[in-house]
């Protein structure tokens, strides 16, 4: 057992206190609970070690977000608002602090990867991040966890060439905003086609702007797409990494493309998430010397989310050494 690889999960009970008002809102604390339950029962249970998170500092948040957004977010929650800008973005009194902790989990994750490249590190976090823009919340997201982790990796470890691979059902508009004009950062996303799906961005034609031309790869899928269509994209993703030559890989791991998840029309299976795990660990081996960090994004089908996460982690471990 001692030689078996460890799965490091960065999480915090405080994430349960980001209260989205109950009722109809899909981004609930139960999401993390069902993941915990599944992992506790499954074959990975003995290999998991959990690390606590830490709050991202103001400077770390400002590496992507504006001062204006930080003030507006904090003021909104302290004044008792229940949502910001749109009812999707439900908040409670503690949401600012908890979003800061959620962003911090990526920083703990980066440190863990740097200490043990090639290992499996997963931030089991909420609120999610990839829709958050510099100056506004969007689609349940307040701080852009993937981008904040990317900036930290660049600044703390001088790994300039960061690639984010996002397989959430939705396009990570905030990540594209962060990276599209830069030559060193890259973003590849598979998502349901913007004609059919929130947030309406992620067109294949968007490939980056100016110095960032060629650093964005959007791979939209038609409604109903499943394993066959996704596996066909793997060579394209490899060719893209050949071009951008990343030093580190961050995965926006969302699980709302599962066929039973109401948040998309895609038809991913539990086993496809295992295959995605195998694939991204191979990418990390081939391109980034094992420097790979996965951060939870969406996933709202409480009956399937735990199995999807477990399958993804199993795929990562399969290729781990
Ligand atoms: Zn999503």
């Amino acid at each position: 057992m001692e030689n078996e690889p460890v799965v490091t999960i960065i999480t915090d009970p405080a994430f349960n206190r980001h209260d989205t008002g109950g009722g109809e809102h899909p981004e609930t604390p139960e999401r993390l609970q069902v993941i915990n339950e599944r992992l506790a029962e499954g074959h990975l249970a003995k290999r998991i070690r959990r690390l606590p998170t830490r709050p991202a500092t103001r400077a770390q948040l400002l590496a992507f977000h504006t001062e204006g957004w930080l003030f507006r977010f904090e003021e909104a929650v302290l004044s008792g608002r229940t949502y910001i800008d749109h009812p999707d973005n439900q908040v409670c009194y503690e949401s600012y602090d908890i979003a800061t902790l959620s962003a911090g989990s990526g920083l703990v994750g980066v440190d863990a990867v740097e200490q043990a490249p090639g290992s499996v590190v997963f931030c089991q976090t909420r609120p999610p991040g990839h829709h958050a823009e510099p100056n506004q919340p969007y689609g349940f997201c307040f701080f852009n966890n993937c981008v904040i982790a990317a900036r930290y990796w660049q600044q703390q470890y001088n790994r300039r060439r960061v690639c984010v691979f996002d397989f959430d059902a939705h396009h990570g508009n905030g990540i594209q905003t962060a990276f599209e004009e830069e030559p060193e950062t890259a973003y590849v996303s598979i998502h349901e086609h913007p004609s059919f799906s929130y947030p309406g961005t992620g067109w294949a034609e968007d490939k980056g702007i100016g110095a960032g031309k060629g650093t964005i790869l959007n791979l939209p899928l038609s409604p109903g797409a499943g394993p066959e269509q996704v596996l066909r994209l793997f060579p394209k993703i490899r060719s893209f990494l050949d071009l951008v030559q990343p030093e580190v890989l961050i995965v926006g791991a969302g699980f709302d493309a599962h066929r039973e998840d109401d948040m998309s029309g895609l038809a991913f299976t539990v086993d496809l998430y295992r295959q995605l795990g195998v694939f991204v660990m191979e990418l990390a081996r081939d391109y980034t010397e094992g420097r790979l960090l996965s951060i939870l994004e969406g996933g709202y089908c409480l009956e399937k989310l735990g199995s999807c996460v477990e399958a993804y982690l199993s795929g990562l471990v399969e290729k781990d050494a």
Side-chain angles (χ1 to χ4, degrees):
M1 272 321 259
E2 276 164 27
N3 293 326
E4 287 208 5
V6 165
V7 176
T8 300
I9 293 183
I10 296 131
T11 194
D12 197 300
F15 295 150
N16 293 329
R17 303 206 306 267
H18 170 55
D19 180 357
T20 49
E24 298 301 301
H25 202 289
E27 205 289 284
T28 61
E30 285 74 28
R31 298 177 58 232
L32 301 192
Q33 289 161 20
V34 297
I35 297 172
N36 285 337
E37 284 162 17
R38 179 70 217 176
L39 293 177
E41 291 162 5
H43 65 284
L44 293 174
K46 287 199 172 70
R47 295 157 79 163
I48 290 172
R49 67 159 180 159
R50 287 192 170 76
L51 291 181
T53 183
R54 64 173 186 256
T57 65
R58 202 165 178 84
Q60 287 160 345
L61 297 171
L62 289 170
F64 177 59
H65 294 284
T66 63
E67 194 114 53
W69 166 230
L70 267 58
F71 281 126
R72 190 161 72 92
F73 184 10
E74 194 163 24
E75 190 182 26
V77 302
L78 295 180
S79 64
R81 296 273 300 277
T82 56
Y83 68 85
I84 305 175
D85 293 353
H86 186 282
D88 273 357
N89 311 312
Q90 289 279 338
V91 290
C92 66
Y93 189 75
E94 288 190 272
S95 290
Y96 182 92
D97 290 339
I98 296 165
T100 303
L101 274 177
S102 182
S105 69
L107 313 179
V108 175
V110 168
D111 291 341
V113 171
E114 284 290 338
Q115 283 160 22
S119 67
V120 175
V121 182
F122 178 67
C123 299
Q124 185 186 319
T125 187
R126 67 182 287 275
H130 72 158
H131 295 307
E133 292 281 351
N135 56 358
Q136 67 182 118
Y138 222 62
F140 321 157
C141 301
F142 301 89
F143 292 141
N144 202 310
N145 303 328
C146 283
V147 174
I148 290 163
R151 296 301 184 221
Y152 178 73
W153 225 330
Q154 293 181 311
Q155 288 161 10
Q156 189 71 21
Y157 295 96
N158 201 29
R159 311 272 189 214
R160 304 300 312 171
R161 306 189 68 84
V162 179
C163 180
V164 175
F165 172 35
D166 182 345
F167 61 73
D168 187 276
H170 304 98
H171 180 246
N173 54 289
I175 302 174
Q176 181 165 310
T177 296
F179 291 175
E180 66 187 346
E181 295 184 54
E182 298 179 346
E184 290 179 323
T185 48
Y187 179 52
V188 49
S189 175
I190 55 179
H191 49 265
E192 191 171 21
H193 195 283
S195 293
F196 304 94
S197 182
Y198 186 89
T201 57
W203 299 83
E205 293 80 2
D206 297 342
K207 294 178 175 171
I209 297 168
K213 235 180 186 40
T215 64
I216 304 290
L217 179 63
N218 285 316
L219 299 168
L221 293 165
S222 300
E228 195 188 325
Q229 289 77 11
V230 171
L231 296 176
R232 241 187 262 149
L233 299 176
F234 285 5
K236 287 187 184 170
I237 295 169
R238 273 192 170 275
S239 302
F240 179 69
L241 265 63
D242 280 337
L243 282 175
V244 300
Q245 290 291 320
E247 294 167 89
V248 302
L249 186 61
I250 297 173
V251 174
F255 298 90
D256 43 4
H258 187 273
R259 63 174 67 190
E260 288 179 39
D261 198 306
D262 294 338
M263 297 291 279
S264 84
L266 297 174
F268 289 20
T269 59
V270 169
D271 191 62
L272 178 59
Y273 288 112
R274 183 191 61 78
Q275 294 181 78
L276 279 161
V278 170
F279 177 58
V280 299
M281 190 53 98
E282 282 172 358
L283 293 178
R285 281 286 166 73
D286 294 347
Y287 294 93
T288 66
E289 296 173 336
R291 288 186 290 268
L292 166 68
L293 173 65
S294 301
I295 302 178
L296 179 65
E297 292 286 353
Y300 306 97
C301 175
L302 296 176
E303 289 72 33
K304 293 292 171 192
L305 177 58
S307 301
C308 291
V309 171
E310 184 184 47
Y312 174 64
L313 295 175
S314 300
L316 293 174
V317 168
E318 252 179 62
K319 279 288 164 182
D320 195 2

